[in-house]
Amino acid sequence: MTTPNRSLGSLILTLVLPLSACAQQAPSETVAIDSSSAQIVTSAPASSEATCTFSEEPVLVIGDDEEDDNQWFSSIRGMGRLSDGSVVAVDRTSAEVRIYDASGRHLRSMGQRGKGPGEFSNPFILWVAAGDTLWVGDYRPWRYNVFTAQGEFVRTVGLKPTYINSSRAGGVLDNGYTVNAKEEGAGVGMRTPDFGAPDTMIVEFHDPDGNLVGNLARIPHVTYGKVSEAEGFSLFPLFEGAAEVDALGSTIVLAHGSKPEVQVLDDEFNLRMIIRWSEPDREVTRADVRAWREDYRERRSQPSSSEWNQYDDARMSPERPVADVFPAMSSVKIGRDGRIWIRQYDRPREDRGWLAFGADGKFACHMAQLPGDVWEFGADYVLLVHRSELGVQTVRMHSLTSPS
């Protein structure tokens, strides 16, 4: 589709460290070795019927008891499963980290509103590291409060140089290094008004004390601009892909949504593998744009939606650029078992679900869209935030079954 926006399909991430890695060849996949000695594994998920499934009903629900403050969440900002089967979650509004046993019974809480050791101004994310150590992000400025699973406050780790706002993506590795990301070009007066240049996602890594070790990557992010219907608002082109970053255990993944490709690094920041897959029929058509606009107008006319406003006019504006091709993904997550999960980009009137790739880069399975926002994949479970029609948030765990 010819549009005012340049095609995003040519965007690539630029690694800024010397990269080296070597892995064993996967026998059933097409494998090549590029100039940096990283293994390249390609696949065609559309030709495979391998399917992962999740239980229709959750095997655990936490947060549906309004009579118990410990069982009530207002804004869940992170969760994870610990080695003994208990579940930890952080609630932004109460500024608490709460731990529940495998049956959902509340065990303990840590943290409160404040600026002292172990307290939170604005808890925004939770990562579970080696030994069930809990890293809870807080800002402003951005820092991590570290706790044990027994509820003991360990220390505060601030990033140096300081991040004023939260890290945009990343994670904590088992060796205590953190991967953090920030946008370059964001902010009033920093962006072009004509969708001329994308922001850059700068991915950095910090040592266990928060000291900056180096830049890991610079990834073109999203392109902002303005349309005449809403001069005060910046928005990005319709169907534009974005930078994707995750880190867990000993693995880091970097990607851009516009490309069906993920770069996989180890905990010494060496590129060890590139996963690529075929993604047919990605062209954006006029019918796709029309369907999106019709569906958007329908959603905004629902009783639960606020009144139509100037920003809605801007999103619907014919001046808003449209990408030439659909993104291949909307998010990427590393599972606790080493699998890499790709949330496929939902085209208008499609729920495309997930793709899973093994730690060796081979395609593992398709999986349908889950009933909530996924926070963690395990070998046989998935943790997510479920929102009711009234907006009530609950932690839910579904069992996960993989092909034999």
Side-chain angles (χ1 to χ4, degrees):
M1 180 175 181
T2 303
T3 70
N5 185 40
R6 82 268 184 267
S7 170
L8 295 175
S10 62
L11 290 180
I12 60 172
L13 66 162
T14 303
L15 297 171
V16 296
L17 290 183
L19 299 173
S20 63
C22 184
Q24 297 298 315
Q25 178 169 325
S28 61
E29 299 288 331
T30 302
V31 178
I33 302 297
D34 72 0
S35 59
S36 64
S37 300
Q39 184 184 43
I40 301 176
V41 184
T42 63
S43 60
S47 65
S48 173
E49 296 182 356
T51 303
C52 290
T53 59
F54 56 90
S55 59
E56 183 176 350
E57 296 297 326
V59 296
L60 176 65
V61 178
I62 305 171
D64 58 352
D65 184 357
E66 298 183 23
E67 303 300 322
D68 184 351
D69 288 344
N70 292 317
Q71 292 280 345
W72 177 257
F73 295 102
S74 178
S75 178
I76 299 171
R77 290 303 308 170
M79 65 180 70
R81 194 181 189 195
L82 306 182
S83 57
D84 63 357
S86 57
V87 173
V88 57
V90 59
D91 183 68
R92 184 179 183 184
T93 302
S94 66
E96 290 181 327
V97 181
R98 304 175 192 163
I99 297 181
Y100 304 83
D101 69 15
S103 68
R105 179 175 62 93
H106 177 255
L107 297 176
R108 64 189 71 92
S109 296
M110 49 274 238
Q112 62 180 6
R113 187 75 59 188
K115 297 185 178 180
E119 297 178 336
F120 299 104
S121 298
N122 189 5
F124 207 67
I125 201 167
L126 180 147
W127 292 329
V128 180
D132 290 340
T133 304
L134 310 178
W135 288 63
V136 188
D138 183 47
Y139 78 111
R140 299 180 170 176
W142 186 246
R143 60 178 186 166
Y144 297 103
N145 281 331
V146 183
F147 299 88
T148 69
Q150 291 71 42
E152 299 171 352
F153 171 69
V154 178
R155 62 193 179 116
T156 295
V157 178
L159 301 186
K160 310 177 211 38
T162 300
Y163 276 42
I164 299 300
N165 294 314
S166 64
S167 175
R168 303 293 293 175
V172 59
L173 302 173
D174 285 346
N175 59 15
Y177 281 73
T178 58
V179 176
N180 300 279
K182 59 185 178 181
E183 292 181 49
E184 183 180 79
V188 177
M190 299 292 288
R191 291 170 172 154
T192 61
D194 58 354
F195 304 92
D199 285 359
T200 300
M201 184 76 81
I202 302 174
V203 186
E204 300 178 328
F205 59 103
H206 297 76
D207 69 18
D209 295 320
N211 299 302
L212 176 65
V213 178
N215 292 341
L216 189 60
R218 298 175 63 88
I219 311 175
H221 193 35
V222 291
T223 307
Y224 288 93
K226 298 179 180 180
V227 299
S228 58
E229 283 85 348
E231 290 293 343
F233 298 109
S234 291
L235 69 166
F236 52 86
L238 187 60
F239 308 135
E240 182 176 42
E244 303 293 339
V245 181
D246 197 23
L248 181 66
S250 60
T251 302
I252 305 161
V253 292
L254 307 172
H256 191 279
S258 65
K259 297 185 67 178
E261 175 181 294
V262 173
Q263 298 196 12
V264 184
L265 291 77
D266 62 24
D267 57 2
E268 294 184 348
F269 312 104
N270 298 311
L271 179 66
R272 67 176 181 84
M273 182 167 56
I274 299 174
I275 300 173
R276 292 174 179 160
W277 64 97
S278 58
E279 182 77 11
D281 303 323
R282 294 178 59 202
E283 182 182 359
V284 175
T285 67
R286 297 184 186 278
D288 294 319
V289 177
R290 183 169 58 252
W292 183 89
R293 288 174 174 163
E294 290 172 354
D295 292 348
Y296 183 82
R297 188 175 295 277
E298 174 66 21
R299 288 194 304 273
R300 295 292 288 141
S301 66
Q302 298 298 317
S304 58
S305 300
S306 58
E307 185 177 353
W308 190 274
N309 57 41
Q310 189 179 19
Y311 187 61
D312 295 310
D313 287 333
R315 288 175 64 95
M316 297 276 288
S317 172
E319 294 180 19
R320 183 185 183 184
V322 179
D324 294 324
V325 296
F326 285 108
M329 72 184 84
S330 57
S331 66
V332 56
K333 286 188 174 294
I334 304 168
R336 286 283 167 186
D337 60 349
R339 281 184 290 187
I340 295 173
W341 291 84
I342 304 297
R343 175 69 174 93
Q344 298 183 91
Y345 188 88
D346 285 338
R347 302 171 189 180
R349 300 172 184 174
E350 291 186 32
D351 290 327
R352 305 188 65 228
W354 294 81
L355 303 176
F357 297 84
D360 58 1
K362 298 179 184 180
F363 175 71
C365 63
H366 301 270
M367 190 168 69
Q369 169 68 322
L370 287 144
D373 298 330
V374 175
W375 284 92
E376 182 174 286
F377 284 103
D380 58 0
Y381 71 90
V382 58
L383 277 174
L384 53 84
V385 177
H386 179 270
R387 292 174 176 82
S388 71
E389 293 182 358
L390 298 177
V392 176
Q393 297 187 8
T394 54
V395 173
R396 297 199 175 189
M397 184 167 67
H398 293 256
S399 62
L400 180 62
T401 303
S402 302
S404 58

